[in-house]
Amino acid sequence: MPHAYETDGAAIYAESFATIRAEADLARFTPEEEPVVVRMIHAAGLVGLERDVEFSAGMAEAARAALQAGAPILCDARMVSEGITRPRLPADNAVICTLHDPKVPEMAKAMGNTRSAAALELWRPHLAGAVVAIGNAPTALFHLLNMLEDPACPRPAAIIGCPVGFVGAAESKAALMADLPAPALIVRGRLGGSAITVAAVNALASRKE
Amino acid sequence: MPHAYETDGAAIYAESFATIRAEADLARFTPEEEPVVVRMIHAAGLVGLERDVEFSAGMAEAARAALQAGAPILCDARMVSEGITRPRLPADNAVICTLHDPKVPEMAKAMGNTRSAAALELWRPHLAGAVVAIGNAPTALFHLLNMLEDPACPRPAAIIGCPVGFVGAAESKAALMADLPAPALIVRGRLGGSAITVAAVNALASRKE
């Protein structure tokens, strides 16, 4: 006997988002932020995530405006760059992940850092006005913050900083909100990851649900 | 003042896994299963995930043996296929994701199902003895179960069934464990996703931590 299940993608999205809006406490988010948080909860399958989500003032507006204006999206991992839904991008924005550039392993060795961090050095030509999406490596977010301590380093328009895990994730995200070199969105603590980061990008790229 | 942080990848892994082993309750898992659960918790950044992880008897052994023997890995989403760490694969195993095959949108329309489900029809030539990794779409897992109700459909060696979300995720994973058409690993309930699924594949592919 075949299993019967909902096979209509639009209906699945609608029911999922309705469930999230019924269960999650979204009252503290602005109308610009709320659909972003809903999509992040959706990607994680986790109502309660909203308690750890934090936007700096105006971040959602800044990210949306940058994407509308054609900003590239700089990703720390291929799981992030591959997850971004291209038809949602408002200006056929470039999606860039430099992690697998053949220069990176040698750069990492020379820097005494991870490949995830070293790969960000290759972001420099794209960084001015970009939307940054870090969903994997705390070392990448820490290295970005250190790069941006140099006033000569180009500024991104917005930073989604959602690395995940047990070493450096909470600390790097707290440092991002303390430094605030650009408008930022984080998930405080250990939670984060590529799916949550992708969801934020996809929600900021288009208001379509 | 630049931020100071751990920049040694191996040290980050070791400290992360030690934290997980100190905090999570892993006593009910076999020695074959335990490192898989540790890596899944690591990917999610979530101690407590272990309460929802369920292996059918012998699943870890079956998946490891299949990968050693060169089994292809069939993935429902590019975020899964892109996340698998190629150097961990024991036999240069093929990693296959058919979701973006140009035939899929028309197939989905004809089947009245999602593209994620329709894409599985293109798995048939690869399915015998494969390791399946479903980390996104409940409709893909339900469709696989329905395909496998036909005794003529080739059998995979093992199924990692970890779709995520609010509609069909919990139900499809419960159905997988009830039908058990092949040894299976799930995360019960809403949690799951590409990162957790990738972590399970990476742990089953190699014992290296």
Side-chain angles (χ1 to χ4, degrees):
Chain A
M1 184 80 167
H3 297 280
Y5 56 97
E6 180 58 74
T7 58
D8 177 50
I12 293 170
Y13 267 102
E15 186 182 332
S16 299
F17 289 0
T19 301
I20 293 165
R21 289 190 163 103
E23 294 186 14
D25 183 2
L26 302 167
R28 71 183 170 91
F29 298 105
T30 71
E32 291 289 317
E33 295 166 350
E34 191 261 8
V36 181
V37 184
V38 168
R39 204 168 266 266
M40 292 167 79
I41 293 170
H42 179 246
L46 185 62
V47 168
L49 182 76
E50 69 275 12
R51 288 192 291 270
D52 299 321
V53 174
E54 191 173 329
F55 294 81
S56 71
M59 183 279 177
E61 292 82 349
R64 284 188 210 275
L67 291 171
Q68 289 284 342
I73 304 166
L74 305 181
C75 308
D76 70 327
R78 295 269 300 168
M79 286 185 71
V80 177
S81 58
E82 283 297 316
I84 293 170
T85 305
R86 300 307 192 270
R88 296 182 67 88
L89 299 179
D92 199 17
N93 308 249
V95 178
I96 296 170
C97 174
T98 55
L99 181 59
H100 295 286
D101 187 288
K103 289 187 289 294
V104 166
E106 199 148 332
M107 291 167 60
K109 211 179 235 182
M111 290 166 59
N113 208 325
T114 64
R115 281 175 293 161
S116 295
L120 269 63
E121 290 295 326
L122 302 177
W123 286 8
R124 291 184 185 269
H126 313 287
L127 201 50
V131 172
V132 166
I134 295 180
N136 185 42
T139 55
L141 182 50
F142 269 130
H143 188 61
L144 177 68
L145 295 178
N146 285 350
M147 284 166 63
L148 291 169
E149 291 204 348
D150 174 3
C153 181
R155 305 278 113 177
I159 301 172
I160 301 165
C162 294
V164 60
F166 297 86
V167 175
E171 297 84 345
S172 65
K173 293 179 282 192
L176 169 59
M177 294 314 267
D179 288 12
L180 214 60
L185 161 59
I186 65 164
V187 178
R188 283 216 178 264
R190 291 171 171 179
L191 294 175
S194 49
I196 288 171
T197 303
V198 162
V201 173
N202 284 338
L204 290 163
S206 168
R207 291 174 196 276
K208 184 169 177 280
E209 301 212 321
Chain B
M1 182 81 166
H3 297 280
Y5 56 97
E6 179 58 75
T7 57
D8 176 48
I12 293 170
Y13 267 102
E15 186 181 334
S16 299
F17 289 0
T19 301
I20 293 166
R21 289 192 163 103
E23 293 187 13
D25 183 2
L26 302 167
R28 71 182 170 91
F29 297 105
T30 71
E32 291 289 318
E33 295 166 350
E34 192 260 9
V36 181
V37 184
V38 167
R39 204 168 265 266
M40 293 166 78
I41 293 170
H42 179 247
L46 184 62
V47 168
L49 182 75
E50 69 274 14
R51 288 192 291 270
D52 299 322
V53 174
E54 191 173 330
F55 293 82
S56 71
M59 184 280 177
E61 291 83 348
R64 284 189 210 274
L67 292 171
Q68 288 285 344
I73 304 166
L74 304 180
C75 309
D76 70 326
R78 294 271 299 169
M79 286 184 72
V80 177
S81 58
E82 283 298 317
I84 295 171
T85 306
R86 299 309 193 269
R88 295 183 67 87
L89 298 179
D92 199 17
N93 308 249
V95 178
I96 297 170
C97 174
T98 54
L99 181 59
H100 295 286
D101 187 287
K103 290 187 288 296
V104 166
E106 198 148 331
M107 290 167 61
K109 211 181 234 180
M111 290 166 58
N113 207 325
T114 63
R115 280 175 295 161
S116 294
L120 270 63
E121 290 294 326
L122 301 176
W123 286 8
R124 290 184 185 269
H126 312 287
L127 201 50
V131 171
V132 166
I134 295 180
N136 184 43
T139 55
L141 182 52
F142 269 131
H143 188 62
L144 177 67
L145 295 179
N146 285 349
M147 283 166 64
L148 291 170
E149 292 204 347
D150 175 2
C153 182
R155 306 277 114 177
I159 301 171
I160 301 164
C162 294
V164 61
F166 297 86
V167 176
E171 297 84 345
S172 64
K173 291 179 282 191
L176 169 59
M177 294 314 265
D179 289 13
L180 214 59
L185 161 60
I186 65 164
V187 178
R188 284 216 177 264
R190 291 170 170 178
L191 295 174
S194 49
I196 289 171
T197 303
V198 162
V201 173
N202 284 338
L204 290 164
S206 168
R207 291 174 196 277
K208 185 170 177 282
E209 300 211 321

